[in-house]
Amino acid sequence: MREIWIPELLSSLFMLVFLVRPLFKGLWPLDGIAWLPSLALGTAVIIFPAYGFRPECIPLAAGCFLITLMNIRPLLTGASRNAEFHEQRTLFTVSSIAFLVFSTALALWFSPVPQDPVNPRKVTLRGPDEAGSPVYTLHIFDGKAPASGIPGGRPLIFLVPPEFGGLNAVDRLCAALGERGFSVISYTRPGSAARLLRLWRAFHGGTRSKKANDAGRALEAEKKAEIEYVLAYLKENLASLAPGANGDALFLAGWGAGGSALAYLCAGQGETAPGRWAAAAKPAYGALGLVVVEGRFWSSWVPAPPPPAIETSNAFLAPLVRVRNWLARFLPERIEGPGTPPQPAIPALYLVSGRALDEGEKSYAAVFAALRNSAAPALLAALEGAGPLDYSDLREEYPLYTTLFSGSGGNGSENSGESGGKGGYLEKSAALIGLFCELTAPSNARTAAAFTGRLRLPGGLYLETSSWNFGDFRLY
């Protein structure tokens, strides 16, 4: 039994006893039942500070709140002690019970999946301005045996988690990468309602509406500043933060706006060489490779020009034209399409959901443009059926979100297992990231027969590239 089920069931039970009271004469004399809605509401509300924001519990808490609100006057006036309550209409009772059953089932079905605890080492870091700067929390995962084929100690992955979910969204993925022989350092900072609102607006309309796109640009700009500060601290203090990690074998990975910010920061730095990555080059931040997960590159999208003003020489139509031109100034500004995407100067892996297989020239257009215009070797990978949130721990932590934002690009039958289980999205994400890092390491980089276009491989894996020759990803 999941621990969170206890307060959910208690809240539902308290409310159910109150709602069925008019139907059972044996319950009429029990005046204390009138207090059960308040107790149910308190139990439902406690879930949020105890277990974090649980969206699946909102309908249950909202229903308890409404019934409690309706019961305040009888409770305060003592009407609950007379026969008024059993005059409640049957339709109200039945509909309330039906909603209670629905909201309880929703809360139980989409509750977080129990997982073995992950215990990384934690370090706190104050921002550059001591007074008003946020406090960053670093989670450090020490790899086990060094990754195959990468000499000089454990290779290091600096990983930027998604804006929503923070470190809880990637801790198990980091642990899985640690099992593959990497040292992984991830970070987060306290969130805010404003940042989550910008994320929501950008995610839903960042490629269509200029206002939503501006929200995405702001997120990417904030991530750039954060990454530059945290990464500089990491490189300066790596020996104490992650003893045994090889700072010369650094790989960068980021989700969403964090992945986009890394791509912009790595653009225009380093050098490429025909056939393979030049180990003697000075790549961005000393990194050997970049992984961008579900980055949309909002800063690359171009606003559409404003509609041209209409002119007329007809004196009768002139007033109407002036009104039309005036009203046109208030129309929402739109996005015309992707402009110039970032071109990282180091090998890049773009990991996207199965939706990109159907929406490639829509919300993922900038990602495909970055892939096709890349000067360095670049590869796009998508797992059939995976949603935008499936390359993280969110499938277990927030099953409701991954259901609402499910993937496409096939029925996902080959990936239908739990994301943390064998063959699931989380394990495959770690395998893809780990294999990419191993193939792009200088000791492994080799000239191989390049392939172009899109391939579908066993396990529901799609690959697309225009310039990949760093080994065969089909070994996956």
Side-chain angles (χ1 to χ4, degrees):
M1 181 177 179
R2 302 175 187 178
E3 181 183 329
I4 195 174
W5 284 359
I6 298 174
E8 291 171 348
L9 290 172
L10 281 176
S11 179
S12 179
L13 179 61
F14 293 151
M15 188 57 65
L16 180 64
V17 173
F18 174 80
L19 291 175
V20 301
R21 186 186 184 192
L23 305 179
F24 298 93
K25 290 186 177 181
L27 298 177
W28 292 2
L30 304 179
D31 296 331
I33 291 178
W35 292 95
L36 289 182
S38 301
L39 189 57
L41 176 61
T43 306
V45 168
I46 287 174
I47 292 174
F48 294 90
Y51 297 94
F53 181 69
R54 303 306 315 173
E56 70 276 5
C57 294
I58 291 178
L60 178 61
C64 293
F65 174 76
L66 290 176
I67 298 297
T68 302
L69 194 65
M70 295 171 60
N71 192 50
I72 286 180
R73 187 191 63 81
L75 195 63
L76 296 179
T77 60
S80 60
R81 294 183 172 85
N82 58 39
E84 286 186 10
F85 70 88
H86 62 76
E87 296 176 1
Q88 180 174 291
R89 294 184 180 274
T90 304
L91 178 61
F92 173 81
T93 300
V94 173
S95 59
S96 298
I97 293 175
F99 180 79
L100 177 65
V101 171
F102 165 77
S103 59
T104 303
L106 184 72
L108 296 175
W109 184 261
F110 291 105
S111 58
V113 179
Q115 297 290 321
D116 294 331
V118 177
N119 299 308
R121 291 189 293 110
K122 301 178 183 180
V123 175
T124 57
L125 169 63
R126 172 68 68 177
D129 300 324
E130 292 293 332
S133 292
V135 175
Y136 299 98
T137 301
L138 277 61
H139 279 197
I140 303 170
F141 296 80
D142 296 314
K144 295 190 176 180
S148 61
I150 305 181
R154 293 187 297 271
L156 175 65
I157 298 178
F158 174 68
L159 191 146
V160 183
E163 187 68 25
F164 174 78
L167 294 171
N168 289 334
V170 293
D171 268 354
R172 298 187 187 284
L173 178 70
C174 292
L177 289 169
E179 292 289 332
R180 298 181 67 90
F182 294 90
S183 289
V184 186
I185 299 181
S186 184
Y187 85 94
T188 191
R189 56 168 286 182
S192 67
R195 290 182 69 153
L196 289 177
L197 179 60
R198 287 200 297 269
L199 175 64
W200 180 260
R201 293 181 63 185
F203 181 79
H204 279 276
T207 59
R208 300 187 305 274
S209 163
K210 184 178 182 301
K211 283 190 174 182
N213 182 265
D214 288 342
R217 287 170 178 261
L219 280 175
E220 289 174 350
E222 289 178 4
K223 284 295 183 182
K224 284 183 188 178
E226 290 177 12
I227 290 168
E228 287 183 309
Y229 177 71
V230 177
L231 192 54
Y233 173 84
L234 183 154
K235 291 178 70 66
E236 184 178 348
N237 299 275
L238 182 61
S240 59
L241 290 173
N246 182 4
D248 293 327
L250 171 65
F251 299 89
L252 306 175
W255 269 247
S260 298
L262 284 171
Y264 286 113
L265 289 170
C266 293
Q269 304 183 48
E271 302 173 4
T272 57
R276 56 167 288 174
W277 177 248
K282 295 186 180 300
Y285 298 96
L288 303 177
L290 168 68
V291 179
V292 179
V293 185
E294 279 294 308
R296 303 297 178 89
F297 304 125
W298 290 306
S299 298
S300 298
W301 292 77
V302 179
I310 298 178
E311 298 181 0
T312 180
S313 59
N314 189 313
F316 177 77
L317 295 178
L320 295 177
V321 170
R322 284 196 295 270
V323 171
R324 181 265 175 199
N325 290 338
W326 179 79
L327 290 175
R329 295 159 50 191
F330 299 96
L331 292 175
E333 298 180 83
R334 308 297 295 175
I335 293 294
E336 186 174 52
T340 303
Q343 297 184 19
I346 54 178
L349 169 66
Y350 301 103
L351 186 55
V352 295
S353 76
R355 291 184 175 192
L357 304 175
D358 299 328
E359 304 176 11
E361 302 308 320
K362 296 180 182 179
S363 58
Y364 289 90
V367 182
F368 281 91
L371 173 74
R372 293 160 186 164
N373 297 327
S374 177
L379 186 70
L380 181 141
L383 286 173
E384 184 179 83
L389 306 178
D390 282 330
Y391 300 123
S392 66
D393 302 356
L394 293 175
R395 174 172 282 262
E396 284 84 13
E397 292 292 331
Y398 296 97
L400 179 60
Y401 287 129
T402 53
T403 300
L404 293 176
F405 302 105
S406 58
S408 57
N411 57 24
S413 58
E414 296 176 269
N415 294 301
S416 58
E418 295 290 343
S419 77
K422 184 177 181 180
Y425 295 125
L426 184 65
E427 181 178 303
K428 290 186 176 183
S429 301
L432 283 168
I433 295 172
L435 180 57
F436 169 80
C437 295
E438 293 170 13
L439 290 177
T440 53
S443 58
N444 279 353
R446 60 189 183 275
T447 301
F451 74 91
T452 58
R454 181 180 296 178
L455 295 176
R456 185 188 187 280
L457 305 178
L461 173 65
Y462 286 79
L463 299 177
E464 183 170 332
T465 184
S466 56
S467 60
W468 181 262
N469 55 1
F470 269 81
D472 195 348
F473 242 75
R474 285 174 289 186
L475 294 176
Y476 166 79

